[in-house]
């Protein structure tokens, strides 16, 4: 009898867990977005995950892969933080700096080919997908002249994420 009661209790707990795992739906019937919080563990894998995704997209177009460049990553991260402090996504720094200026500050002496920016609550892969949907940002990602890439972000306490990608050669 005890085993039957234990089985019933376990079944009820399992069903309760299933209910809480179901996504909440909005008025349109679609799942409500979930807050994407970048943890220390996530932060450690995001650059590699983006690099692999970018290089898969480039390979599908017959374009050579890019490599991560620490100087471009530092420039991208600094710009993401600066955009957050300005509370606007744009390509100019609060000090009037351009993507080239920011890369030079970090010691990058190559050519800057492009910069993609975003202000969103979306993940890095959702952001990359949104960039691929627009010709001008897609061209930055797929530019055959690009050999190096920097990718950085800043996440506010509210969950809003400022993403920056810089490509160069």
């Amino acid at each position: 009898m005890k085993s039957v009661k234990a089985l019933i209790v376990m079944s009820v707990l399992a069903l309760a867990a299933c209910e809480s795992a179901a996504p909440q739906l909005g008025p349109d019937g679609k799942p409500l977005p979930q807050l994407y919080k970048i943890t220390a563990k996530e932060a450690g894998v995001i650059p590699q995950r983006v690099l692999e995704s970018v290089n898969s997209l480039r390979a599908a177009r017959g374009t050579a892969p890019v490599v991560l460049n620490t100087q471009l990553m530092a420039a991208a991260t600094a710009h993401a933080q600066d955009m957050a402090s300005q509370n606007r996504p744009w390509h100019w720094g609060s000090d009037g700096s351009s993507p080239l200026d920011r890369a030079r500050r970090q010691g990058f002496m190559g050519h800057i080919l492009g910069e993609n920016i975003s202000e969103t609550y979306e993940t890095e892969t959702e952001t990359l997908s949104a960039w691929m949907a627009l010709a001008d940002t897609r061209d930055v990602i797929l530019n055959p002249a690009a050999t190096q890439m920097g990718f950085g972000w800043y996440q506010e306490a509210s969950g809003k994420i400022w993403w920056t990608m810089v490509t160069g050669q």
Side-chain angles (χ1 to χ4, degrees), residues 82-100:
D82 189 44
M83 286 190 301
S85 70
Q86 295 180 69
N87 196 33
R88 63 179 168 180
W90 72 327
H91 296 284
W92 301 103
S94 57
D95 59 357
S97 62
S98 69
L100 178 61

Side-chain angles (χ1 to χ4, degrees), residues 18-35:
C18 290
E19 275 186 43
S20 63
Q24 291 183 321
L25 301 179
D28 59 359
K30 294 181 180 178
L32 292 173
Q34 300 294 313
L35 180 63

Side-chain angles (χ1 to χ4, degrees), residues 97-162:
S97 62
S98 69
L100 178 61
D101 297 330
R102 293 187 292 274
R104 292 280 184 265
R105 281 186 202 148
Q106 299 300 328
F108 182 76
M109 292 297 129
H111 298 288
I112 295 298
L113 299 174
E115 180 181 69
N116 287 339
I117 57 173
S118 180
E119 167 196 17
T120 185
Y121 289 89
E122 295 177 333
T123 68
E124 67 282 359
T125 53
E126 291 168 320
T127 300
L128 183 59
S129 178
W131 286 338
M132 287 298 292
L134 300 171
D136 58 341
T137 51
R138 181 176 53 246
D139 290 347
V140 171
I141 296 165
L142 300 178
N143 185 338
T147 59
Q148 300 176 61
M149 180 184 82
F151 188 77
W153 66 89
Y154 176 77
Q155 186 167 38
E156 297 178 358
S158 68
K160 183 190 294 184
I161 307 169
W162 302 82

Side-chain angles (χ1 to χ4, degrees), residues 15-76:
L15 287 173
C18 290
E19 275 186 43
S20 63
Q24 291 183 321
L25 301 179
D28 59 359
K30 294 181 180 178
L32 292 173
Q34 300 294 313
L35 180 63
Y36 177 54
K37 183 67 177 158
I38 300 174
T39 64
K41 181 181 177 184
E42 280 293 307
V45 297
I46 287 173
Q48 189 63 37
R49 191 163 46 219
V50 170
L51 178 67
E52 290 170 3
S53 296
V54 164
N55 283 335
S56 291
L57 293 165
R58 290 173 65 86
R61 295 285 177 100
T63 306
V66 294
V67 296
L68 288 175
N69 177 292
T70 56
Q71 296 158 331
L72 292 179
M73 290 181 65

